[in-house]
């Protein structure tokens, strides 16, 4: 009785030792042959059961069969473990250097002025303004006369104009002509912004013969200076990402009355650096011109100035982009310079 | 305009310092762009009197000047020859600083120690006030020992004012003083009276009178000054002009300039004895008439120019510039002094056309005050008489063609409230009164004001509101910020902008960099890509800044090529993808004629690197770029077709026209290799451009909502003639594949030496599908066989 128990236990231990030493599926097969094969140790033990007394046979048989089951399960589980290990070893052979660059084209790059244009448009769309557009090749009427700038008015000196050889055509000097076009098309009430390229005969580090403006126009009943202040302050805080102090100076534009210029606190130094390059130590940045629409302009747009009034503004998008992204040379913006464009990174 | 603060203070009591005043002016619409202190480096310089002069003991070219500097004595060595005993001079003792920043010490000249130096005008920083070589000798009236900078008024602050075109009235000390009086409570303009005799009698000198023959000159006045001695004007006048950046010339000219700077009225002095006839006629110029202006240039006149003539001959261009023939000169004895009101538009037109930006024309174009016109004659007379420069005739001659109407503008409580959310008419009246507007008729809710003659810019109620608003300011305590209410609709970004946004985001995602190019390009850049012939379609600038920017771009490509070349010059070697959404102008790019079109354009340069990371997978070619065009169109829900095309700059075998709904909307092409070589690109360049408008307002896409029954797949592979397009083969397969044919996809193209000449191998994967049931092989086999036979009989060689 005690004999076969001892034998079973000895074989169990022998198998455990052998299994622990196995380090591949080949050795598992050898183990299987050694214990479970036709001439295997356990097979032989089962075969020798006949020699036992009849009353001992059932118990001994059960014990040896139980061991057989254990060995089979152990081999099976070791086998699947080795399969996983071998698969992983194969994966290691396929390993890549994850620090190598990705394959394919990198993301492109946005242009700071165009990006600002889209950002500004989004802000004003949120305030109920719709986008309007007009031609860059304009005529004298829309660019000047309809905006209360008669021929030979000294105000024309404010903007040096590019003329086309084809008589009567010019490159718009501001986006303001779109004001009149929008009023004629849509009437009042009206809320539009008009972004686009404009042209003036001027070229130095702070002036480009081509630059970008965004014009805004609101026409309604009972519009006050308070309304444009509110709109533009929302805009300034959004575009620069934080609340900025604003102030207004009286100014003159032929198409607005009263007219103002808006300054905001310096985005670089907030007025704390008297040698600031951006604000020249004044603490303030001139950001745009604005005012209440001149009744003559409303009339040009066939809107009754007694019933309606409104406000308008015009801002240089290039300047805002330069302030926002800390750029200092306007001309580099329009050269398609790959090093410059790609340095700006992505959105 | 430059303004002397000291001069301003002579005219108005001002309880403010310069920088506070500058802020106040800036906020109310007259921007002070800078405050200059021209002599700010001068320090420690005092007035001194030369008590005696002697020659240097060992050097005869030097003088020893004994000075009295207010009880203290000093000795200076000088080489100047213009000193006399008793002269008053500026003396810089050791430790003093000159205009150029030099700090003086004691210096020995051949055994004599000079204690500092006596100064010339240049050493004071005002070279233009010098009238003789040497030391600046001062007139009597300065006290020895007193600080010279203060005594001579060199401590002035010069405001650089940016005066807006509507405010011609501010182009004078008087004008600014009036403005300041309204801005600064407690300031008051000092009365200054100049006698204004209204006698229009004929002078006793044989002058025949003024004839006005043009409506452009409704008011013309002449003064007469006799016994003139042309000489430098007094030192204080010269210093004043020099500080304002003007060059002192002579007493006559300086007096007219000072009067203009003070009162805003430009004056002109004619040498009476040089006039062709003793008369003045103002008339319009005749086409082709000539005048030589006092700058020595001959000017060709046009009808509409306003002329001052004498004896029929032009002697001046009214309000713009005088004629050389009647200019005041050293020997002038008698002068006619002109003060007039000329039509601003006429003066402006003439001065702009001829490019003469004179101070006079600048002021006339901005409308001078008719009420100041004649006063200024008396002012200049009194200046000249005071300087002993001549003997002005007490009376002046005037020709007045019309009176100026008083302008009345009404301010209503309603509009004031509407614009400023504030309706205090009483305070508004106070503000306007200080600005010179007199309330005329008064009702409860409206006030009428007489506009002063110097404010022709104020014509409507809104102008009055601006006057009130700018004095009150726009701070939050005065007028709050609020958002405008009652929007009619939500804001709409609009179809064009929306499309632009989709395209730029898709392009950037596919590795393109956004760029903005100039709209004007050089004619050479157009010719460089073979687009020279259609030049009559080009839009040219009449006044370009340079030839490089003289033509409006007919397409975006030339600008891209120039940008690429610039990048290559700076050493760029990698692949480069650029795009722009912008307009093209004019016609003649081989597509169709147009004037201004919104376009999307891009280039793909394959790069100059021989080695490309990860090999050919990343090398750009026609098809990698075509995939981008497809993707961009797909982002806009449009499916483009491509047809072989021909463009002057396009590779003969790699140029496609992009079609949408049967209409050519753009191109996709590789640049001709010969052009790539001429342009020295060092690699292939692909480009595509298309019009945006055709992509607008597309329908929503329809999704396949029903789960389809499984498809049966078949491949077909055959040799096809090289010149038959894949698109045509595909169309053939579709038309012969039967009703169950669903998808046709090209999966292999092979061209090679193993194939018969003129053929290539194409392999398509076909899927057959039935909408209502699962197909069995046999059904498909029949249809597929029909297709194979059709291909065979059409000349495709099945493999």
């Amino acid at each position: 009785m005690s004999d076969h128990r001892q034998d079973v236990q000895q074989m169990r231990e022998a198998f455990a030792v052998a299994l622990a030493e196995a380090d591949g599926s080949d050795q598992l097969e050898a183990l299987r042959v050694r214990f479970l094969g036709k001439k295997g140790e356990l097979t032989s033990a089962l075969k020798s059961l006949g020699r036992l007394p009849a009353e001992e046979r059932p118990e001994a048989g059960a014990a040896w069969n139980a061991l057989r089951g254990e060995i089979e399960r152990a081999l099976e589980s070791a086998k699947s473990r080795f399969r996983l290990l071998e698969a992983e070893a194969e994966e290691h052979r396929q390993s890549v250097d994850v620090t190598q660059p990705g394959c394919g084209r990198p993301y492109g790059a946005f242009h700071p002025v165009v990006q600002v244009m889209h950002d500004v448009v989004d802000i004003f769309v949120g305030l109920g303004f719709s986008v309007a557009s007009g031609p860059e090749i304009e005529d004298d009427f829309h660019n000047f006369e309809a905006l209360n700038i008669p021929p030979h008015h000294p105000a024309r000196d404010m903007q040096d104009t590019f003329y086309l050889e084809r008589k009567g055509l010019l490159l718009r000097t501001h986006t303001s002509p779109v004001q009149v076009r929008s009023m004629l098309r849509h009437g009042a009430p009206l809320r539009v912004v008009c972004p686009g390229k404009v042209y003036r005969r001027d070229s130095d580090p702070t002036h480009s013969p081509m630059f970008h403006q965004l014009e805004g126009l609101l026409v309604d009943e009972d519009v006050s200076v308070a309304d444009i202040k509110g709109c533009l302050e929302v805009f300034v805080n959004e575009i620069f990402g934080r609340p900025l102090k604003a102030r207004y100076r009286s100014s003159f534009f032929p198409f607005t009355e009263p007219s103002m210029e808006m300054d905001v606190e310096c985005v670089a130094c907030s007025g704390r650096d008297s040698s600031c390059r951006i604000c020249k130590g004044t603490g303030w940045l001139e950001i745009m011109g604005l005012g209440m629409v001149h009744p003559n302009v409303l009339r040009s747009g066939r809107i009754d100035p007694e019933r309606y009034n409104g406000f308008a503004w015009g801002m240089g998008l290039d300047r805002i982009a330069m302030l926002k992204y800390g750029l200092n040379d306007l001309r580099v913006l329009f050269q398609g310079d790959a090093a410059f464009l790609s340095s700006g990174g992505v959105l | 305009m430059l303004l002397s603060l000291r001069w301003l203070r002579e005219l108005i009591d001002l309880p403010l310092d310069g920088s506070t005043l500058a802020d106040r002016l800036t906020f109310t619409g007259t921007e002070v762009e800078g405050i200059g202190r021209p002599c700010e480096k001068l320090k420690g310089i005092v007035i001194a009197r030369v008590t005696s002069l002697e020659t240097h003991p060992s050097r005869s070219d030097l003088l020893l000047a004994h000075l009295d500097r207010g009880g203290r004595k000093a000795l200076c060595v000088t080489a100047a020859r213009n000193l006399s005993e008793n002269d008053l001079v500026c003396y810089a003792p050791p430790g003093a600083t000159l205009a150029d920043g030099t700090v003086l010490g004691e210096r020995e000249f051949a055994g004599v120690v000079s204690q500092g130096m006596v100064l010339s005008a240049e050493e004071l920083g005002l070279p233009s006030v010098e009238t003789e070589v040497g030391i600046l000798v001062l007139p009597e009236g300065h006290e020895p020992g007193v600080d010279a900078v203060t005594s001579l008024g060199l401590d002035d602050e010069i405001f650089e004012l940016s005066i807006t075109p509507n405010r011609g009235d501010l182009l004078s000390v008087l004008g600014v003083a009036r403005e300041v009086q309204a801005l600064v409570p407690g300031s008051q303009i000092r009365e200054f009276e100049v006698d204004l005799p209204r006698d229009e009698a004929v002078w006793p000198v044989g002058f025949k009178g003024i004839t006005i023959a043009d409506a452009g000159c409704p008011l013309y006045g002449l003064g007469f000054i006799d016994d003139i001695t042309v000489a430098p004007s007094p030192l204080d006048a010269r210093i004043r002009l020099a500080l304002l950046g003007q060059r002192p010339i002579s007493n006559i000219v300086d007096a007219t300039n000072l009067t203009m700077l003070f009162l805003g009225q430009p004056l002109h002095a004619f040498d009476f004895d040089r006039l062709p006839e003793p008369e003045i006629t103002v008339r319009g110029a005749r086409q082709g008439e000539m005048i030589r202006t006092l700058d020595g240039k001959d000017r060709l006149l046009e009808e509409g120019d306003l002329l001052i003539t004498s004896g029929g001959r032009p002697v001046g261009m009214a309000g713009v510039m005088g004629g050389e023939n009647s200019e005041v000169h050293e020997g002038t004895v008698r002068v006619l002094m002109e003060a007039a009101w000329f039509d601003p538009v006429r003066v402006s037109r003439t001065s702009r056309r001829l490019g003469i930006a004179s101070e006079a024309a600048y002021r006339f174009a901005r409308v001078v005050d008719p009420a100041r016109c004649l006063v200024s004659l008396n002012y200049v007379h009194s200046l000249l008489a005071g300087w002993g420069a001549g003997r002005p005739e007490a009376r002046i001659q005037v020709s007045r063609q019309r009176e100026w109407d008083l302008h009345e503008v009404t301010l209503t409580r309603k509009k004031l409230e509407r614009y400023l959310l504030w309706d205090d008419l009483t305070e508004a009246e106070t503000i306007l009164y200080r600005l010179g507007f007199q309330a005329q008729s008064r009702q409860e809710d409206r006030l009428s004001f007489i506009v002063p003659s110097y404010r022709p810019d104020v014509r409507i109620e809104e102008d009055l509101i601006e006057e009130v608003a700018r004095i009150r300011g726009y701070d939050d305590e005065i007028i709050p910020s609020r958002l405008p209410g009652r929007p009619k609709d939500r804001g709409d970004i609009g179809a064009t902008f929306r499309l632009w946004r989709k395209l730029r985001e898709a392009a950037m995602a596919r590795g393109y960099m956004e760029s903005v190019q100039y709209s004007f390009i050089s004619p050479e850049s157009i010719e460089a890509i073979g687009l020279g012939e259609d030049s009559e379609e080009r839009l040219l600038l009449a006044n370009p800044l340079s030839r490089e920017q003289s033509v409006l771009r007919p397409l975006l490509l030339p600008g891209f090529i120039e940008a690429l070349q610039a990048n290559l010059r700076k050493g760029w070697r990698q692949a480069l993808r650029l795009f722009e959404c912008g307009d093209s102008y004019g016609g003649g790019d081989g597509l169709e004629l147009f004037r201004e079109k919104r376009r999307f354009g891009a280039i793909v340069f394959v790069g100059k690197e021989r080695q490309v990371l990860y090999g050919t997978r990343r090398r750009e070619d026609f098809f990698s770029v075509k995939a981008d065009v497809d993707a961009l169109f797909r982002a806009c829900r449009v499916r483009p077709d491509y047809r072989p095309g021909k463009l002057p700059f396009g590779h003969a075998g790699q140029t496609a026209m992009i079609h949408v709904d049967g209409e050519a909307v753009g191109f996709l092409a590789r640049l001709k290799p010969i052009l790539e070589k001429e342009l020295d690109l060092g690699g292939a360049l692909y480009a595509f451009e298309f019009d945006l408008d055709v992509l607008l307002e597309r329908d929503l896409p329809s999704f396949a909502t029903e789960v389809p029954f499984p498809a049966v797949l078949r491949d077909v592979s055959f040799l096809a003639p090289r010149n038959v397009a894949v698109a045509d083969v595909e169309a053939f397969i579709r038309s012969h594949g039967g009703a169950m044919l669903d998808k046709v996809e090209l999966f292999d193209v092979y061209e090679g030496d193993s194939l018969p000449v003129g053929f290539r191998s194409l392999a398509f994967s076909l899927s057959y599908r039935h909408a209502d049931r699962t197909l069995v092989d046999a059904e498909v086999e029949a249809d597929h066989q029909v297709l194979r036979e059709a291909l065979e009989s059409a000349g495709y060689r099945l493999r």
Side-chain angles (χ1 to χ4, degrees):
Chain A
M1 175 95 190
S2 59
D3 268 2
H4 76 259
R5 277 192 197 163
Q6 219 167 348
D7 294 344
V8 168
Q9 189 54 30
Q10 267 174 9
M11 194 177 294
R12 177 178 282 124
E13 281 164 15
F15 174 76
V17 169
L19 182 63
E21 284 168 357
D23 61 357
S25 3
D26 297 351
Q27 284 158 19
L28 288 185
E29 181 56 19
L31 268 187
R32 194 191 61 80
V33 171
R34 174 179 154 197
F35 287 94
L36 304 180
K38 269 184 192 156
K39 289 173 186 166
E41 290 173 27
L42 196 134
T43 316
S44 313
L46 278 171
K47 277 179 188 160
S48 65
L49 274 180
R51 275 177 268 146
L52 288 179
E55 67 274 17
E56 285 181 21
R57 267 181 233 159
E59 197 195 324
W64 284 113
N65 273 322
L67 178 61
R68 184 191 176 97
E70 277 174 43
I71 290 177
E72 278 172 348
R73 283 192 298 277
L75 284 174
E76 200 48 48
S77 100
K79 198 167 148 190
S80 61
R81 202 172 69 242
F82 281 122
R83 220 177 10 241
L84 284 178
L85 284 174
E86 274 152 24
E88 209 173 292
E90 176 61 27
E91 288 167 19
H92 280 295
R93 284 190 288 280
Q94 296 170 7
S95 77
V96 297
D97 176 357
V98 298
T99 66
Q100 268 177 237
C103 178
R105 300 164 173 174
Y107 191 91
F110 69 87
H111 190 281
V113 175
V114 182
Q115 186 59 45
V116 157
M117 182 187 290
H118 284 268
D119 291 346
V120 175
V121 162
D122 281 344
I123 295 167
F124 284 110
V125 165
L127 291 168
F129 290 81
S130 293
V131 177
S133 62
E136 293 170 20
I137 299 174
E138 269 292 4
D139 52 36
D140 194 84
F141 173 77
H142 288 94
N143 197 71
F144 291 120
E145 281 182 59
L147 296 166
N148 202 31
I149 317 174
H152 308 294
H153 192 278
R156 292 204 174 191
D157 292 341
M158 294 167 92
Q159 304 171 359
D160 218 343
T161 311
F162 279 116
Y163 291 93
L164 268 64
E165 281 200 340
R166 205 167 293 189
K167 207 81 185 144
L169 293 179
L170 51 85
L171 292 181
R172 65 178 179 192
T173 56
H174 43 197
T175 41
S176 310
V178 189
Q179 282 190 20
V180 180
R181 292 181 178 277
S182 299
M183 285 189 279
L184 290 173
R185 193 174 307 152
H186 304 291
L190 180 68
R191 296 183 182 206
V192 289
V193 287
C194 336
K197 287 178 179 169
V198 299
Y199 305 87
R200 289 185 201 170
R201 236 180 139 268
D202 218 347
S203 187
D204 63 47
T206 55
H207 292 93
S208 162
M210 178 188 84
F211 57 104
H212 297 77
Q213 272 192 345
L214 181 131
E215 188 85 3
L217 171 70
L218 181 146
V219 179
D220 210 330
E221 291 169 347
D222 292 327
V223 181
S224 88
V225 170
D227 296 314
I228 186 167
K229 284 181 66 181
C231 276
L232 296 181
E233 283 161 21
V234 164
F235 154 74
V236 163
N237 297 344
E238 278 290 312
I239 198 76
F240 291 112
R242 65 191 163 95
L244 293 175
K245 279 190 294 234
R247 67 177 196 185
Y248 301 85
R249 287 177 287 110
S250 282
S251 189
F252 167 75
F253 306 106
F255 31 90
T256 49
E257 190 74 32
S259 304
M260 285 147 263
E261 298 218 38
M262 183 189 195
D263 295 343
V264 295
E265 92 184 54
C266 178
V267 295
C269 76
S270 296
R272 284 191 286 268
D273 177 3
S274 61
S275 60
C276 177
R277 187 178 53 82
I278 306 294
C279 64
K280 299 188 182 78
T282 62
W284 294 96
L285 300 168
E286 207 176 300
I287 206 106
M288 70 177 99
L290 56 130
M292 306 300 287
V293 183
H294 196 287
N296 288 351
V297 178
L298 291 171
R299 279 185 205 107
S300 298
R302 299 214 186 91
I303 287 176
D304 174 9
E306 286 311 310
R307 178 167 172 206
Y308 291 104
N309 69 337
F311 62 72
W313 74 89
M315 64 176 91
L317 294 170
D318 316 79
R319 173 159 167 80
I320 290 170
M322 291 174 77
L323 290 173
K324 182 165 176 166
Y325 296 107
L327 312 173
N328 48 33
D329 187 352
L330 181 58
R331 291 172 299 187
V332 74
L333 291 172
F334 308 129
Q335 291 166 350
D337 186 292
F340 166 75
L341 292 171
S342 58
S343 67
V346 294
L347 293 165
Chain B
M1 185 190 74
L2 298 181
L3 176 84
S4 153
L5 188 60
R6 179 178 266 262
W7 202 354
L8 184 69
R9 286 187 193 278
E10 286 172 15
L11 188 57
I12 183 169
D13 272 321
L14 205 52
L16 289 180
D17 64 37
S19 69
T20 311
L21 176 64
D23 274 354
R24 196 76 185 108
L25 283 166
T26 293
F27 274 86
T28 49
T30 308
E31 191 182 352
V32 180
E33 293 183 324
I35 302 179
R37 293 172 185 84
C39 301
E40 67 180 335
K41 284 188 181 153
L42 292 178
K43 273 198 190 73
I45 298 172
V46 294
I47 306 286
R49 188 179 295 280
V50 180
T51 49
S52 63
L53 281 170
E54 56 180 308
T55 308
H56 190 284
S58 58
R59 285 194 42 194
S60 59
D61 58 328
L62 295 177
L63 284 173
L64 305 185
H66 295 276
L67 303 176
D68 166 18
R69 46 174 298 195
R72 291 164 62 190
K73 296 197 181 319
L75 175 70
C76 276
V77 180
T78 175
R81 310 312 295 179
N82 68 324
L83 277 186
S84 316
E85 283 181 12
N86 265 334
D87 277 352
L88 278 173
V89 293
C90 291
Y91 164 59
T97 313
L98 303 187
D100 63 0
T102 309
V103 180
L104 287 184
E106 294 193 341
R107 196 175 149 195
E108 193 190 306
F109 292 87
V112 180
V113 172
S114 178
Q115 300 164 309
M117 61 195 281
V118 284
L119 303 182
S120 68
E122 181 155 9
E123 284 150 351
L124 284 165
L126 298 167
S128 66
V129 306
E130 185 176 89
T131 54
E132 55 183 2
V133 176
I135 302 303
L136 181 70
V137 177
L138 308 179
E140 285 303 314
H142 297 280
E143 189 67 32
V146 169
D147 181 66
V149 168
T150 321
S151 191
L152 292 171
L154 303 179
D155 53 349
D156 206 352
E157 290 170 275
I158 306 297
F159 280 21
E160 194 184 324
L161 298 178
S162 163
I163 292 173
T164 54
N166 59 324
R167 293 299 304 274
D169 65 301
L170 293 180
L171 295 167
S172 65
V173 180
L174 175 65
V176 175
R178 273 189 305 237
E179 177 81 359
V180 167
Q181 181 171 248
L183 298 183
V184 181
S187 63
Q188 187 64 48
I189 293 188
R190 295 204 182 90
E191 287 301 319
F192 80 102
E193 280 297 322
V194 183
D195 293 339
L196 179 58
R198 307 282 293 187
D199 189 347
E200 297 181 16
V202 176
W203 291 320
V205 291
F207 183 69
K208 289 186 197 151
I210 302 164
T211 312
I212 305 294
D214 192 298
C217 177
L219 177 61
Y220 194 89
L222 283 176
F224 181 77
I225 305 151
D226 208 344
D227 295 336
I228 285 172
T229 311
V230 174
S233 38
L235 181 64
D236 56 351
R238 281 180 281 142
I239 287 178
R240 176 149 281 167
L241 287 167
L243 288 174
L244 292 171
Q246 305 225 354
R247 195 177 171 75
I249 293 166
S250 68
N251 46 9
I252 303 295
V253 178
D254 293 355
T256 63
N257 283 335
L258 285 168
T259 304
M260 177 181 74
L261 294 173
F262 185 58
L263 297 175
Q265 171 70 47
L267 300 174
H268 182 69
F270 295 101
D271 184 326
F272 182 68
D273 298 302
R274 295 175 80 188
L275 289 176
E277 290 287 329
E279 67 93 22
I280 289 288
T281 298
V282 184
R283 63 164 169 86
R286 287 183 287 269
Q287 193 73 32
E289 214 169 344
M290 300 281 290
I291 180 173
R292 177 168 292 177
T293 43
L294 49 78
D295 56 4
K297 291 185 181 153
D298 290 319
R299 312 283 185 172
L300 180 63
L301 302 174
E302 288 181 6
E303 235 167 88
D305 293 332
L306 207 49
L307 271 188
I308 314 297
T309 64
S310 174
R313 289 173 52 195
V315 293
M317 294 172 61
V320 179
M321 193 175 268
E324 195 186 57
N325 53 3
S326 56
E327 195 186 354
V328 172
H329 62 109
E330 277 175 25
T332 296
V333 177
R334 299 191 289 178
V335 152
L336 278 186
M337 189 66 80
E338 167 200 279
W341 194 98
F342 297 118
D343 183 336
V345 170
R346 302 277 291 277
V347 172
S348 169
R349 192 159 53 202
T350 302
S351 76
R352 283 156 154 274
R353 191 190 74 243
L354 297 174
I356 304 174
S358 64
E359 296 255 359
Y362 191 80
R363 283 172 172 77
F364 280 120
R366 281 158 180 74
V367 192
V368 299
D369 179 5
R372 282 292 138 194
C373 187
L374 303 178
V375 179
S376 60
L377 277 182
N378 293 77
Y379 185 82
V380 76
H381 284 180
S382 66
L383 267 187
L384 287 169
W387 295 350
R391 192 170 49 77
E393 171 69 37
R395 292 163 298 180
I396 59 179
Q397 295 223 14
V398 177
S399 172
R400 190 187 296 269
Q401 305 301 304
R402 69 169 164 96
E403 294 297 328
W404 271 258
D405 299 331
L406 290 177
H407 218 89
E408 200 171 315
V409 182
T410 301
L411 180 65
T412 61
R413 192 185 300 279
K414 183 170 162 242
K415 224 172 215 181
L416 196 59
E417 213 277 333
R418 184 199 235 190
Y419 275 79
L420 303 180
L421 305 182
W422 176 83
D423 68 349
D424 189 341
L425 270 186
T426 314
E427 196 188 326
E429 185 186 347
T430 309
I431 292 171
L432 288 167
Y433 177 76
R434 291 190 67 88
L435 283 163
F437 295 80
Q438 299 270 359
Q440 205 59 14
S441 66
R442 210 176 302 253
Q443 291 170 32
E444 204 201 318
D445 288 322
R446 52 174 54 227
L447 277 173
S448 288
F449 292 88
I450 298 291
V451 177
S453 61
Y454 50 85
R455 290 302 304 274
D457 59 309
V458 175
R459 279 295 172 265
I460 56 174
E461 188 176 4
E462 283 76 4
D463 296 328
L464 288 181
I465 291 172
E466 171 163 64
E467 291 304 303
V468 173
R470 72 187 181 88
I471 302 295
R472 294 180 75 228
Y474 297 103
D475 288 350
D476 280 349
E477 311 84 75
I478 304 291
I479 178 163
S481 296
R482 68 176 191 193
L483 286 180
R486 291 179 283 112
K488 186 175 67 168
D489 205 346
R490 72 179 178 86
D492 181 12
I493 189 174
T496 307
F497 222 73
R498 202 165 9 248
L499 183 69
W500 180 4
R501 190 167 286 191
K502 275 184 196 161
L503 287 170
R504 75 186 281 264
E505 280 167 6
M508 291 191 284
R510 294 186 75 87
Y512 287 73
M513 293 196 284
E514 186 169 45
S515 69
V516 178
Q517 324 271 352
Y518 285 107
S519 303
F520 16 64
I521 55 178
S522 68
E524 288 76 16
S525 71
I526 303 177
E527 282 156 24
I529 57 167
L531 286 175
E533 305 91 69
D534 305 312
S535 52
E536 69 277 11
E537 301 298 339
R538 304 269 175 266
L539 292 174
L540 306 178
L541 292 183
N543 55 341
L545 277 173
S546 66
R547 186 170 166 82
E548 282 66 46
Q549 299 186 332
S550 61
V551 189
L552 287 177
R553 60 183 185 187
L555 68 172
L556 277 54
L557 181 59
F560 278 129
I561 291 179
E562 294 205 323
L564 171 62
Q565 287 177 303
N567 278 305
L568 295 176
R569 278 194 298 275
K570 287 184 220 165
W572 187 269
R573 300 185 59 82
Q574 297 105 292
L576 181 64
R577 289 169 293 274
L578 291 175
F579 78 94
E580 180 182 359
C581 221
D583 287 4
S584 65
Y585 318 80
D589 70 341
L591 295 174
E592 62 176 287
L593 305 182
F594 48 73
R595 187 177 134 177
E596 186 173 341
K597 274 194 169 181
R598 203 165 289 270
R599 302 267 281 182
F600 182 98
I603 54 161
V604 176
F605 174 61
V606 299
K608 286 167 109 169
E609 306 288 358
R610 212 168 296 153
Q611 207 70 27
V612 177
L613 183 64
Y614 305 130
T616 52
R617 277 188 291 169
R618 278 182 67 176
R619 184 75 78 179
E620 303 282 2
D621 63 13
F622 185 87
F623 296 109
S624 73
V625 181
K626 183 180 175 188
D628 296 333
V629 181
D630 279 336
L632 292 174
F633 275 77
R634 198 179 163 97
C636 308
R637 304 196 293 264
V638 176
R639 191 190 172 90
D641 295 316
Y642 301 84
R643 312 258 169 84
K646 202 166 148 49
L647 290 170
F649 51 83
H651 187 300
Q654 296 184 24
T655 295
M657 303 311 276
I658 305 172
H659 287 250
V660 170
D661 301 333
E663 189 193 340
V665 301
F667 67 84
L668 159 63
R670 180 181 164 175
L671 206 63
K672 279 183 177 302
I674 192 170
L675 287 177
E676 291 168 353
K677 197 167 274 173
E678 276 171 24
L679 296 165
D680 201 20
L681 303 183
L685 179 68
Y686 298 89
F688 60 90
E689 273 183 40
F690 52 86
D691 297 338
L692 252 51
D693 289 351
V694 292
L695 303 182
L696 291 170
E697 309 300 342
R698 308 307 290 204
D699 298 332
L700 282 177
S702 56
F703 282 86
T705 48
E706 283 172 29
V707 180
F709 285 89
V712 173
L713 303 180
R714 287 285 184 279
D715 289 346
V716 61
S717 164
F718 47 82
L719 293 179
R722 178 62 186 79
N723 59 4
V724 179
V726 164
D728 295 335
V729 178
E730 206 181 297
F732 183 90
I733 293 175
R734 285 195 180 281
S735 62
H736 292 85
M740 292 182 296
L741 181 61
D742 183 24
K743 281 189 183 143
V744 180
E745 251 172 72
L746 180 71
F747 74 87
D748 189 46
V749 181
Y750 176 73
E751 297 174 51
D753 295 342
S754 58
L755 300 180
V757 176
F759 281 85
R760 60 178 169 171
S761 162
L762 300 177
F764 288 88
S765 163
L766 314 178
S767 67
Y768 293 90
R769 198 191 293 277
H770 198 285
D772 304 325
R773 59 190 163 83
T774 304
L775 289 175
V776 295
D777 277 2
E779 298 172 86
V780 171
E781 200 49 58
D783 277 11
H784 192 61
Q785 197 49 44
V786 170
L787 171 63
R788 290 173 62 87
E789 282 160 18
L791 284 165
E792 190 96 74
S793 57
Y796 299 103
R797 296 194 218 158
L798 293 173
R799 307 183 86 193

